[in-house]
Amino acid sequence: MNLPNKLTLLRVAMIPVFVILASQEVIWTQLGAALVFIIACVTDYLDGEIARKRNLVTNFGKFADPIADKLLVMSAIVVLVDQQRMPAWVCICILAREFAISGFRLVAVTGGKVIAAGKLGKIKTVTQMISVIMLLLFVPIHKEPLLGDVGMIAAEVMMYISLFFTIWSGTDYIVRNYDCIRDM
């Protein structure tokens, strides 16, 4: 197994650690959860860079990397909803987009077409990850906000920016690849 694939598996292994830390209401566990999430996000960047630069792209990596990303972000937003740091309807929109696009990809693959992630999808992932980090750090569970109201407002704005890119990238993906399902 090559290094990029090991990094992908490491990202998946970090998810339970993140969830356990994020589920606690103590400030140090919240900071630890944010740190684990940031490290997991860095592994996402590194595995792609290393795979492309060293020509280590594998079918396992093409399959596992996007699943690891989705598991990481989905786990985080479910925890954030549980802690009332994110509205449930935002979580539902994000989850719906991910399930719809995953289903769309399955239909495309049965038709012999593999659709790579586009630029908007990558922007969506980055904005979601930044949003999660900001919500973890700046929207407290029961304590005073780390940066006061400014931090809370910035985190909410980032959450809505990520929601915008989630919806836009999903819509763009379906429109650009509609031919995959049109004749079915």
Side-chain angles (χ1 to χ4, degrees):
M1 179 167 289
N2 66 30
L3 179 59
N5 292 342
K6 288 178 183 175
L7 289 171
T8 297
L9 293 176
L10 174 63
R11 185 161 63 257
V12 172
M14 294 173 83
I15 294 169
V17 175
F18 164 77
V19 171
I20 290 167
L21 289 171
S23 297
Q24 308 303 310
E25 296 185 12
V26 181
I27 186 68
W28 70 266
T29 62
Q30 293 297 305
L31 295 174
L35 180 62
V36 168
F37 191 86
I38 290 166
I39 293 168
C41 292
V42 169
T43 68
D44 178 37
Y45 171 77
L46 288 176
D47 69 19
E49 284 296 306
I50 293 168
R52 283 185 292 278
K53 284 186 179 178
R54 297 185 186 173
N55 197 24
L56 297 173
V57 176
T58 64
N59 287 333
F60 175 81
K62 289 179 194 176
F63 170 77
D65 182 64
I67 290 175
D69 296 345
K70 287 174 184 21
L71 286 173
L72 177 66
V73 172
M74 288 181 182
S75 298
I77 65 174
V78 168
V79 168
L80 291 169
V81 168
D82 181 57
Q83 296 170 340
Q84 299 179 348
R85 292 166 143 179
M86 174 185 275
W89 71 268
V90 173
C91 175
I92 291 166
C93 289
I94 293 170
L95 294 175
R97 185 264 187 212
E98 298 306 333
F99 283 117
I101 296 305
S102 294
F104 198 90
R105 280 193 170 123
L106 282 173
V107 170
V109 126
T110 61
K113 185 173 182 183
V114 176
I115 307 168
K119 186 174 184 174
L120 279 175
K122 292 177 189 225
I123 293 170
K124 177 262 316 174
T125 300
V126 169
T127 59
Q128 286 176 349
M129 289 175 171
I130 292 170
S131 172
V132 166
I133 293 164
M134 290 179 72
L135 289 166
L136 284 168
L137 292 175
F138 304 142
V139 178
I141 297 177
H142 297 296
K143 306 276 188 240
E144 186 65 28
L146 189 61
L147 295 178
D149 289 340
V150 172
M152 287 178 51
I153 291 168
E156 279 194 25
V157 167
M158 190 65 217
M159 177 186 69
Y160 289 117
I161 289 170
S162 76
L163 178 62
F164 170 78
F165 280 107
T166 297
I167 294 168
W168 183 17
S169 67
T171 303
D172 177 69
Y173 186 92
I174 291 170
V175 168
R176 279 188 301 106
N177 300 291
Y178 185 73
D179 60 314
C180 293
I181 62 167
R182 183 183 53 230
D183 299 327
M184 299 197 101

